[in-house]
């Protein structure tokens, strides 16, 4: 049943707005996903649309499964909820004969060899790293709707650094595209699916008419991370119609590196000037302690996106303050956290309500080890899917076998329990990690069966098997009683009672390549941190380790995003450079803000630099930026120029010592910069 009282006034206004353009632009945990789910249910319930005319697009197939599930709990079935790619794949399979006749096509299962061959063809060594970089670049270009011919021109205008010379990337891209047309038909990559769907709808009126007859209402979640290519598909779906609801949070844009952009979200009310635009501020997910920290984190962001943020108001009752911890090394960090997880579980937090989130997948290893050692069951998100597990595959085939018997007296739940007993479904949890994990999976399967029967009381065995198959296909596993290990990117849109944000060190978060690339990418890393913080309902634990290995050199520094929010802990061996940047060189006191650190002094402590030198450096920077066709801050930030003016370095080594100046910059601008300074000596 749909109870619109489950929504607050603002959410309800968006959910019940008439069919037409609706945009919810709001922060984390404010109920965006909940509101669109209710909107779909409400429109259907009121008979304003029929379920099979709705297409809901979510960011992951798991989120799509979740949406279908929530809708089915409200008694709404038959809504298509899919990712852009999954939707496009189905549509293309259907329309292909109309646009391409009997020309066969299939999905490329591995782009690597194709790109590798293209690279070798023009004399680029096809090492794994090279090919991965080139592939990433080609994917970015396709998602950004940039053709091989346009690529070099676009790069000249962009702050993006291509992995090899732009012309070479373009040639590899061209050859890769050509290699997909073979004698046996066409090979399509994921982006081609989208391109072909858009192309078919744009160019074949018959296809467009049939499609638009079928789908009339569109809903997009996580719209801040839509790419120009996906937007083109969305436009093609819509034609000149406007029955579109989008929701997103520009401050959670974390996929820019793939070509995603929040601009479509931010410009929505300009595109549809009659759109209903709703902003939500009440955060129903987290305690005020968590939202306070989230607000502090995002308050430090800069730029157009940051300008759209709203202060989150935590609606949950007060909870514990966030915990900040520094550990000697990573294995200790992991071990201590496993211990804390054990006590959370002992105190009643279900394991499935606990997550450990990290920046890169490789960080999971040490935590997997520590959790396994502590006997804690966990699952790595993005790892092996539930229905792919050996015990679940075995259990489902057993159910299929049992279902063939004609003399089944019992209801599906009883049949399932009986069938799974010989496979290890004992009445109580067994000893031993392996047996326990198996048992947990089987229990999860029984719980899923119970849930399905609750939703459809007259479900029989064939119906049950079909429902299970649907679940397996949608990769939507029931919640296994295990702790989640996931990357921050994979954690988007999700929530847990307790969240451990781990490995918060410089060069991991922000990641080193973002630091090298400059402010833009560091801002995206900050948003990633914000996404992490806002996943927690109640308990939030933030940690980092000074050394990678036990007994290793404690040379790491805590993430800059912790500066000013966490108590400052100094590494045992303080590298000269970070030591210098942490104390004000005028008054000797500690420095908190990133800008102060770059400057090496408090902003309001008297500058040692000559204003004339600073101004001359700025006008030099303007020339350099114009010549390189990049914004000025990409060359050097104001704070860095000020630091240079104050330090007056006399050679490249001294220049390198100035905070904010790296080897790449010295290489590119060192000579010119020193020349400018020389004229003042
Ligand atoms: P994100 O930006 O992380 O995707 P979101 O805006 O989509 O977050 P939801 O996931 O929809 O937020 O909601 C966050 C949590 O708050 C969920 O547990 C949801 O059920 C709950 N919630 C949302 N609105 C309300 C409400 N009006 N009353 C009670 N709980 C609510
Ligand atoms: Mg959401």
């Amino acid at each position: 049943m749909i109870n619109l009282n489950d929504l607050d006034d603002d959410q309800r206004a968006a959910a019940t707005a008439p069919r037409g353009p609706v945009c919810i632009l709001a922060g984390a945990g404010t109920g965006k996903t909940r509101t669109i789910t209710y909107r779909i249910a409400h429109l259907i319930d009121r008979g304003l649309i029929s379920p099979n005319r709705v297409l809901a697009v979510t960011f992951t197939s798991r989120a799509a499964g979740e949406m279908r599930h929530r809708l089915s709990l409200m008694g709404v079935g038959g809504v298509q909820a899919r990712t852009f790619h999954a939707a496009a794949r189905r549509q293309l399979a259907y329309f292909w004969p109309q646009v391409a006749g009997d020309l066969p096509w299939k999905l490329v299962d591995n782009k690597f060899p194709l790109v590798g061959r293209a690279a070798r063809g023009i004399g680029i060594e096809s090492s794994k790293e090279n090919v991965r970089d080139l592939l990433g670049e080609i994917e970015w270009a396709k998602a950004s709707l940039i053709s091989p011919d346009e690529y070099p021109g676009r790069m000249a205008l962009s702050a993006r650094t291509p992995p090899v010379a732009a012309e070479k990337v373009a040639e590899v891209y061209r050859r890769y595209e050509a290699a997909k047309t073979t004698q046996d038909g066409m090979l399509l990559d994921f982006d081609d699916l989208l391109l072909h769907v858009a192309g078919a709808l744009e160019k074949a009126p018959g296809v467009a008419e049939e499609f638009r007859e079928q789908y009339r209402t569109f809903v997009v979640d996580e719209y801040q991370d839509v790419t120009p290519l996906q937007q083109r598909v969305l436009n093609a779906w819509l034609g000149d119609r406007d029955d579109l609801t989008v929701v997103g949070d520009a401050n959670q844009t974390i996929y820019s590196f793939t070509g995603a952009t929040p601009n479509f979200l931010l410009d929505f009310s300009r595109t549809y000037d009659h759109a209903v635009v709703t902003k939500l501020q009440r955060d129903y997910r987290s305690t005020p302690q968590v939202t306070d920290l989230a607000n502090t984190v995002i308050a430090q962001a800069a730029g157009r996106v940051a300008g759209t943020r709203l202060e989150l108001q935590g609606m949950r009752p007060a909870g514990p303050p966030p915990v900040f911890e520094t550990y000697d090394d990573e294995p200790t960090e992991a071990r201590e956290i496993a211990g804390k997880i054990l006590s959370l579980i002992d105190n009643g937090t279900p394991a499935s309500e606990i997550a450990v989130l990290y920046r890169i997948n490789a960080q999971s290893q040490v935590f997997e080890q520590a959790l396994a050692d502590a006997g804690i069951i966990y699952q790595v998100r993005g790892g092996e899917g539930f229905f792919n597990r050996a015990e679940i595959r075995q259990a489902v085939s057993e159910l299929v076998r049992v279902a063939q018997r004609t003399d089944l007296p019992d209801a599906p739940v009883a049949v399932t329990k009986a069938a799974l007993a010989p496979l290890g479904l004992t009445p109580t949890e067994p000893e031993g990690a392996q047996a326990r994990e198996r048992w947990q999976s089987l229990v999860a399967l029984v719980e899923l069966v119970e849930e399905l029967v609750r939703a459809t009381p007259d479900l029989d065995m064939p119906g049950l098997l079909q429902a299970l198959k649907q679940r397996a296909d949608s990769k939507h596993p029931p919640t296994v009683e295990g702790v989640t290990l996931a990357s921050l990117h994979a954690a988007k849109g999700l929530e847990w009672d307790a969240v451990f944000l781990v490995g918060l060190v410089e060069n991991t978060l922000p990641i080193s390549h973002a630091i090298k690339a400059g402010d833009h990418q560091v801002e995206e890393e900050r948003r990633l941190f914000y996404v992490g913080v806002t996943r927690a309902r109640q308990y939030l634990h933030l940690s980092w380790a000074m050394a990678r290995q036990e007994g290793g050199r404690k040379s790491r520094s805590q993430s800059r995003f912790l500066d000013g929010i966490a108590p400052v802990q100094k590494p045992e061996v303080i590298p000269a450079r970070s030591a210098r940047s942490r104390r004000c060189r005028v008054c000797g006191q500690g420095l908190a803000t990133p800008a102060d650190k770059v400057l090496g002094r408090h902003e309001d402590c008297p500058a040692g630099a000559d204003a004339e030198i600073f101004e001359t450096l700025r006008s030099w920077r303007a020339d350099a930026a114009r010549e390189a066709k990049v914004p000025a801050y990409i060359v050097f930030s104001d704070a860095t120029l000020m630091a240079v003016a104050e330090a007056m370095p006399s050679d490249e080594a001294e220049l390198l010592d100035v905070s904010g100046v790296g080897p790449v910059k010295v290489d590119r601008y060192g000579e010119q910069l020193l020349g400018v300074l020389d004229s003042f000596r």
Side-chain angles (χ1 to χ4, degrees):
M1 263 326 291
I2 305 149
N3 183 357
L4 288 171
N5 291 327
D6 293 345
L7 302 178
D8 70 25
D9 292 349
D10 299 327
Q11 293 172 337
R12 197 177 317 111
T16 58
R19 284 177 61 180
V22 174
C23 172
I24 304 178
L25 189 55
T30 53
K32 296 183 296 296
T33 302
R34 179 165 163 136
T35 304
I36 46 170
T37 310
Y38 274 73
R39 176 165 171 76
I40 295 170
H42 168 76
L43 289 172
I44 291 170
D45 188 55
R46 294 287 300 274
L48 297 168
I49 42 170
S50 63
N52 59 358
R53 302 226 180 278
V54 180
L55 181 54
V57 182
T58 61
F59 204 76
T60 59
S61 50
R62 184 187 177 283
E66 178 70 30
M67 180 171 288
R68 281 195 297 270
H69 175 61
R70 289 202 208 169
L71 286 169
S72 78
L73 292 180
M74 287 191 270
V76 175
V79 172
Q80 300 267 338
R82 300 188 183 278
T83 61
F84 271 108
H85 282 128
R89 188 175 178 170
R90 269 173 66 99
Q91 291 162 18
L92 196 64
Y94 182 77
F95 287 122
W96 185 263
Q98 289 183 53
V99 289
D102 52 11
L103 179 69
W105 68 278
K106 76 181 183 76
L107 267 179
V108 183
D109 19 71
N110 187 0
K111 297 186 251 190
F112 240 78
L114 288 174
V115 173
R117 208 171 307 135
R120 277 195 304 280
I122 61 162
I124 300 176
E125 190 208 337
S126 58
S127 67
K128 218 159 94 190
E129 290 68 35
N130 281 353
V131 175
R132 195 183 303 127
D133 285 350
L134 286 163
L135 195 51
E137 204 56 20
I138 292 171
E139 285 168 349
W140 172 81
K142 293 183 81 164
S144 307
L145 297 173
I146 298 170
S147 68
D149 290 347
E150 290 161 346
Y151 180 84
R154 289 290 287 268
M155 291 316 275
L157 295 174
S158 147
R160 204 179 160 90
T161 325
V164 295
E167 280 72 20
K168 289 194 168 175
V169 176
E171 187 52 29
V172 173
Y173 179 10
R174 202 171 284 121
R175 287 174 180 232
Y176 164 74
E177 289 300 317
K180 284 184 295 160
T181 305
T182 71
Q183 284 163 343
D184 308 326
M186 298 237 319
L187 290 170
L188 304 183
D189 63 27
F190 275 130
D191 300 317
D192 294 329
L193 294 178
L194 297 176
L195 281 167
H196 282 289
V197 164
L201 293 172
E202 287 159 4
K203 288 189 208 110
V207 168
E209 198 180 323
E210 186 178 346
F211 177 87
R212 290 173 194 155
E213 176 64 26
Q214 170 66 42
Y215 292 107
R216 301 186 180 169
T217 298
F218 300 86
V219 175
V220 187
D221 198 0
E222 305 276 1
Y223 190 54
Q224 76 278 359
D225 272 319
V226 77
T227 64
L229 172 58
Q230 291 167 338
Q231 180 64 41
R232 181 167 156 201
V233 170
L234 188 55
N235 290 342
W237 283 345
L238 282 161
D240 55 8
R241 304 168 302 167
D242 65 359
D243 191 353
L244 170 64
T245 301
V246 297
V247 309
D249 175 5
N251 285 291
Q252 291 185 67
T253 305
I254 55 174
Y255 280 91
S256 300
F257 65 97
T258 66
T261 159
N263 290 338
F264 299 110
L265 174 68
L266 297 176
D267 292 337
F268 192 83
S269 56
R270 231 163 295 154
T271 311
Y272 299 99
D273 55 9
H274 55 305
V276 173
V277 178
T278 304
K279 300 198 167 164
L280 306 172
Q281 252 171 304
R282 286 180 288 264
D283 178 315
Y284 292 97
R285 175 179 295 146
S286 309
T287 63
Q289 282 73 13
V290 172
T291 52
D292 280 354
L293 180 63
N295 286 331
T296 312
V297 167
I298 207 65
Q300 295 170 10
R304 179 185 190 204
V305 162
T308 65
R309 68 179 163 243
L310 297 170
E311 189 111 321
L312 294 174
Q313 254 172 277
M315 298 303 283
R316 284 183 153 248
V323 179
F324 296 90
E325 289 288 357
T326 306
Y327 298 103
D328 283 347
D329 50 70
E330 269 185 20
T332 306
E333 181 181 16
R335 221 171 18 243
E336 293 287 322
I337 285 175
K340 292 185 179 208
I341 290 176
L342 273 184
S343 30
L344 282 172
I345 294 174
D346 285 347
N347 288 316
T349 307
S352 57
E353 281 303 340
I354 302 173
V356 177
L357 307 181
Y358 37 78
R359 173 65 179 83
I360 52 168
N361 285 316
Q363 286 173 278
S364 82
Q365 187 44 44
V366 57
F367 289 91
E368 288 189 52
Q369 180 73 46
L371 293 181
D373 290 348
I376 301 168
I377 292 183
Y378 64 86
Q379 65 199 112
V380 182
R381 189 168 293 290
E384 192 188 33
F386 179 78
F387 285 97
N388 281 331
R389 292 192 175 172
E391 65 270 25
I392 294 303
R393 283 210 306 266
Q394 192 188 7
V396 173
S397 7
E398 182 62 11
L399 290 180
V400 170
R401 203 179 62 77
V402 168
Q404 283 161 357
R405 289 193 358 216
T406 48
D407 57 338
L408 282 177
D410 292 313
V413 175
V415 173
T416 303
K417 283 184 175 166
L420 302 189
L423 302 184
L425 184 73
T426 48
T428 54
E429 194 170 12
E431 290 295 323
Q434 288 290 323
R436 195 154 52 189
E437 199 167 348
R438 182 184 184 81
W439 184 84
Q440 297 266 12
S441 292
L442 295 177
V443 168
L445 184 61
V446 173
E447 281 168 359
L448 173 61
V449 170
E450 287 172 341
E451 192 187 276
L452 291 167
V453 170
R454 243 193 326 272
T456 317
D458 55 358
L459 194 71
D460 56 6
M461 279 310 283
L464 172 67
L465 291 174
Q466 204 184 347
L468 287 177
K469 184 170 182 312
Q470 258 171 18
R471 284 294 180 114
D473 290 344
S474 76
K475 295 203 194 74
H476 177 229
T479 316
V480 180
E481 275 302 286
V483 170
T484 298
L485 297 186
S487 70
L488 290 165
H489 280 104
K492 178 156 113 150
L494 307 180
E495 59 189 27
W496 294 270
D497 285 344
V499 169
F500 292 82
L501 298 181
V502 301
L504 301 174
V505 294
E506 280 290 293
N507 292 314
T508 298
L509 189 76
I511 198 142
S512 51
H513 58 73
I515 298 175
K516 274 190 226 121
D519 295 357
H520 255 36
Q521 290 200 21
V522 171
E523 285 305 308
E524 178 135 322
E525 299 284 305
R526 187 194 308 283
R527 293 192 292 270
L528 204 45
F529 182 46
Y530 175 70
V531 167
V533 168
T534 53
R535 297 309 97 198
R537 294 201 189 97
Q538 292 194 34
Y539 178 87
L540 178 61
H541 185 281
L542 306 96
S543 63
W544 65 284
M546 293 187 281
R548 184 180 302 282
Q549 270 147 8
E550 275 179 298
R553 210 165 76 86
K554 297 177 181 171
S555 56
R556 300 158 142 199
S557 329
Q558 72 176 20
S559 164
R560 67 186 70 188
F561 303 139
L562 294 176
D563 293 349
I565 65 167
V568 177
Q569 304 247 8
K570 276 189 220 73
E572 217 170 55
V573 182
I574 307 161
R577 184 155 146 185
S578 66
R580 234 193 335 263
S581 62
R582 274 177 203 283
R583 302 228 154 254
C584 172
R585 86 181 103 77
V586 181
C587 71
Q589 298 297 306
L591 295 171
T593 73
D596 282 357
K597 281 189 183 155
V598 171
L599 216 50
R601 62 170 172 80
H602 295 107
E603 226 173 340
D604 43 16
C605 280
D610 186 317
E612 204 195 334
I613 300 182
F614 179 59
E615 280 318 315
T616 313
L617 286 174
R618 287 188 53 153
S619 69
W620 163 80
R621 178 182 66 179
D623 293 341
R626 213 169 303 119
E627 195 176 303
K629 298 203 177 70
V630 296
Y633 68 83
I634 297 283
V635 179
F636 283 117
S637 69
D638 272 353
T640 303
L641 280 191
M642 181 57 89
V644 168
E646 292 183 28
M648 287 297 285
S650 49
D651 57 27
E652 296 201 337
E654 284 182 22
L655 181 58
L656 197 55
D657 253 324
V658 176
S659 184
V661 185
V664 176
K665 293 282 171 78
V666 170
D667 218 39
R668 192 168 302 164
Y669 302 120
E671 214 173 82
Q672 296 178 35
L673 201 58
L674 291 168
V676 175
L677 295 178
D678 278 342
S679 62
F680 289 96
R681 278 186 235 276

